[in-house]
């Protein structure tokens, strides 16, 4: 897996800040804040950390962590 993404790049949009919003149907979404600044990011440059973060969030679910703790952890990952 070490060389899996070595010659790959992918530009994604990333924002400087995010906020949680609840839709009319009650579903919670993480969205860019109104004052957020847009930038371009290459998430494949950090793919190993992204995979570990996803695994950690999945473990939190299996450990029955509260939605608030999971929401906080997701927010911290996004703001890195």
């Amino acid at each position: 897996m070490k060389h899996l993404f070595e010659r790959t790049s992918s530009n994604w949009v990333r924002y400087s800040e995010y906020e949680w919003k609840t839709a009319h149907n009650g579903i919670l979404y993480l969205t860019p804040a109104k004052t957020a600044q847009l930038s371009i990011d290459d998430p494949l440059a950090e793919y190993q950390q992204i995979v570990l973060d996803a695994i950690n969030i999945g473990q939190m679910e299996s450990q029955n962590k509260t939605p608030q703790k999971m929401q906080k952890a997701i927010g911290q990952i996004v703001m890195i």
Side-chain angles (χ1 to χ4, degrees), residues 11-24:
N11 292 326
W12 289 7
V13 172
R14 185 175 195 147
Y15 294 92
S16 59
E17 53 187 314
Y18 295 86
E19 61 187 1
W20 291 97
K21 289 186 178 180
T22 304
H24 297 300

Side-chain angles (χ1 to χ4, degrees), residues 10-59:
S10 175
N11 292 326
W12 289 7
V13 172
R14 185 175 195 147
Y15 294 92
S16 59
E17 53 187 314
Y18 295 86
E19 61 187 1
W20 291 97
K21 289 186 178 180
T22 304
H24 297 300
N25 59 5
I27 295 177
L28 192 62
Y29 291 94
L30 185 62
T31 64
K34 289 183 180 184
T35 59
Q37 300 295 313
L38 177 120
S39 65
I40 301 298
D41 188 34
D42 181 7
L44 295 181
E46 304 168 8
Y47 76 91
Q48 291 174 326
Q49 187 60 51
I50 292 170
V51 170
L52 291 174
D53 291 340
I55 290 169
N56 289 334
I57 295 297
Q59 286 178 331

